[in-house]
Amino acid sequence: MTAIRLLLVDDDPLVRAGLSLMMGGAEDIEIVGEAADGGEVEALVERTRPDVVLMDIRMPSVDGLTATRRLRAREDAPQVVVLTTFHADEHVLRALRAGAAGFVLKDTPPARIVEAVRRVAAGDPVLSPTVTRQLMAHVAGTAADDRRARARARIAVLGEREREVTVAVGRGLSNAEIAAALFMSVATVKTHVSRVLAKLDLNNRVQIALLAYDAGLLEDED
C-alpha cells in the first residue's frame, strides 16, 4: 500500500513536533515536509508532492487561508485539512470556501486526526454536519438573505437527482450512505457528485455542502 504523503504547516514548533510524533506512528502516513508559514507552502508542495496538507490558520506572514486558496488553484492541488482551536471560527468557514477538504480542532484526539488525514486522502472530506451548522449560524447576519438568493440561483441548474445528492452531501453522508438512501449504486452517486461539482464550479464535497446550507436546502428537507 502506498503511504499517504503529508505536509505539516504550523508556526508553532511544539505543535509540529506533536503532529510529527502522532503521524509518525501511522504506518500508512509519511511526513514529507514541514513549514512554519503559509508563504513556504507552495515551494514545499512543488518539491515534496504531498497528498494532504495539514494547515494551521493563523500564521505570522502568510496565513492558512491565503495558502489554502493558492494551493487549491493549482492544477495538481493536494487536499488541505485546516487546523483550528475554535470550532465556530469564521476563518474556518472561509478556509472551506477556499477549497479545504475539512478541518480538525487542535485538541482532537490523535487517532481522529490521523483518521481525518486518511479520509481526506481517500477523497472523503472531513465534514461534521453539527459543526458546519454552528459555522453557518456564526456568520449569519444582514447578508444572509442575499447569500441565500445567490446560492439558490446557482442550485437552480441542477437536476432533481443532482439536487437530492447535494442535500445528502450537505448532511455529511458518504457515497455508500447516499446510495442506500436514494436507491442508486455508489458509481451513480459518484457520477452525480462529479456533475454537481462541474455544474456549480466547485472543487470538493465540502463546498457542495456549504452551498447547500447557504441555499437553505437542508432547512427545506427538515
Side-chain angles (χ1 to χ4, degrees):
M1 181 177 61
T2 303
I4 299 165
R5 298 173 63 82
L6 177 67
L7 177 64
L8 304 177
V9 185
D10 196 294
D11 64 327
D12 188 334
L14 291 179
V15 171
R16 292 201 309 276
L19 290 171
S20 182
L21 181 63
M22 181 192 312
M23 297 298 171
E27 295 182 356
D28 58 338
I29 297 177
E30 176 189 1
I31 298 174
V32 296
E34 297 182 13
D37 189 80
E40 305 170 18
V41 173
E42 286 188 276
L44 268 176
V45 165
E46 189 69 32
R47 186 165 70 249
T48 62
R49 300 293 179 180
D51 301 304
V52 179
V53 178
L54 199 52
M55 180 91 72
D56 189 18
I57 292 180
R58 294 181 176 86
M59 290 179 283
S61 179
V62 176
D63 63 38
L65 300 176
T66 302
T68 296
R69 186 167 57 251
R70 290 174 179 174
L71 280 185
R72 293 304 299 171
R74 295 170 59 99
E75 186 174 342
D76 56 346
Q79 296 295 337
V80 177
V81 177
V82 297
L83 289 165
T84 181
T85 56
F86 184 40
H87 66 265
D89 192 331
E90 182 178 352
H91 291 308
V92 178
L93 180 60
R94 291 171 56 196
L96 297 179
R97 293 192 187 285
F103 63 90
V104 293
L105 302 180
K106 287 187 176 180
D107 61 356
T108 297
R112 291 190 180 181
I113 296 180
V114 173
E115 184 59 27
V117 170
R118 289 175 176 145
R119 285 179 56 189
V120 167
D124 184 18
V126 179
L127 176 65
S128 166
T130 300
V131 173
T132 302
R133 289 190 186 98
Q134 291 173 332
L135 285 166
M136 296 304 292
H138 179 69
V139 300
T142 57
D145 289 342
D146 289 341
R147 187 170 59 244
R148 173 163 297 192
R150 290 194 299 269
R152 292 206 167 199
R154 293 181 67 185
I155 292 290
V157 303
L158 301 180
E160 181 179 355
R161 291 301 259 177
E162 292 166 345
R163 182 185 175 101
E164 290 175 343
V165 169
T166 295
V167 171
V169 170
R171 293 191 178 282
L173 301 184
S174 67
N175 286 341
E177 291 169 333
I178 295 173
L182 298 182
F183 305 103
M184 60 177 70
S185 70
V186 172
T188 300
V189 172
K190 291 180 178 179
T191 297
H192 282 309
V193 170
S194 295
R195 288 175 179 170
V196 171
L197 289 170
K199 285 187 176 183
L200 300 180
D201 193 24
L202 303 174
N203 63 32
N204 63 35
R205 295 166 70 102
V206 174
Q207 290 185 336
I208 293 177
L210 291 174
L211 188 62
Y213 276 96
D214 278 347
L217 295 187
L218 303 185
E219 296 174 17
D220 291 347
E221 288 294 307
D222 291 340

